[in-house]
Amino acid sequence: MTSAIRLKVVRYQCPHCSRTHSKKAAAEQHIARCWQNPAARACKTCVHFSPESEGPYPQHPPIPEECWAGRKLLSGLHTDCPKWESKTAPCAECTAEIPAGQTYCSTRCRNAADRHDDLDGDL
């Protein structure tokens, strides 16, 4: 036979990052410790995490990742951190995730909340 044979392969992908695994059990183990998974309480989903960034001028070395809560990251990122705080919060009107510090995900939700306040009869 001189032609290629078509194969279908099943891969399991983490819903939080692009990593894939050939075995479902390995994928589920990864998901439990994935740095992008908020349930793992990992550095990359924490409000205190500062990612690596460029220096102030071209010859300056990059500024390393750091934790503003004081956790040392020299040995790597952490999961199940006691100082972890979410970067996101649920919208006050719907269940959409929004950056921490905001109250509503959109003008529509803010206006809907205002209408609910008007119906309370406290005007």
Side-chain angles (χ1 to χ4, degrees), residues 43 48-50 64-68 70-78:
C43 292
H48 302 297
F49 178 71
S50 173
E65 298 172 325
E66 64 180 315
C67 176
W68 294 335
R71 191 97 196 247
K72 302 289 184 207
L73 301 180
L74 295 175
S75 62
L77 300 177
H78 304 280

Side-chain angles (χ1 to χ4, degrees), residues 53-117:
S53 60
E54 295 180 7
Y57 51 89
Q59 295 82 13
H60 193 281
I63 299 167
E65 298 172 325
E66 64 180 315
C67 176
W68 294 335
R71 191 97 196 247
K72 302 289 184 207
L73 301 180
L74 295 175
S75 62
L77 300 177
H78 304 280
T79 57
D80 293 324
C81 179
K83 297 179 179 184
W84 182 87
E85 291 181 38
S86 179
K87 278 186 181 179
T88 61
C91 174
E93 183 65 21
C94 66
T95 58
E97 289 292 317
I98 55 173
Q102 290 184 5
T103 309
Y104 301 106
C105 63
S106 64
T107 304
R108 181 175 164 222
C109 278
R110 189 184 72 230
N111 291 342
D114 288 344
R115 283 194 298 277
H116 294 305
D117 290 343

Side-chain angles (χ1 to χ4, degrees), residues 2-20:
T2 58
S3 63
I5 299 171
R6 182 177 179 195
L7 273 180
K8 276 192 172 184
V9 179
V10 174
R11 300 286 295 175
Y12 299 93
Q13 184 175 10
C14 174
H16 307 287
C17 68
S18 59
R19 184 149 186 191
T20 64

Side-chain angles (χ1 to χ4, degrees), residues 27-50:
E28 289 173 350
Q29 288 174 354
H30 164 78
I31 291 167
R33 66 178 187 277
C34 179
W35 291 331
Q36 304 290 341
N37 180 1
R41 300 171 57 95
C43 292
K44 289 193 177 184
T45 59
C46 181
V47 72
H48 302 297
F49 178 71
S50 173

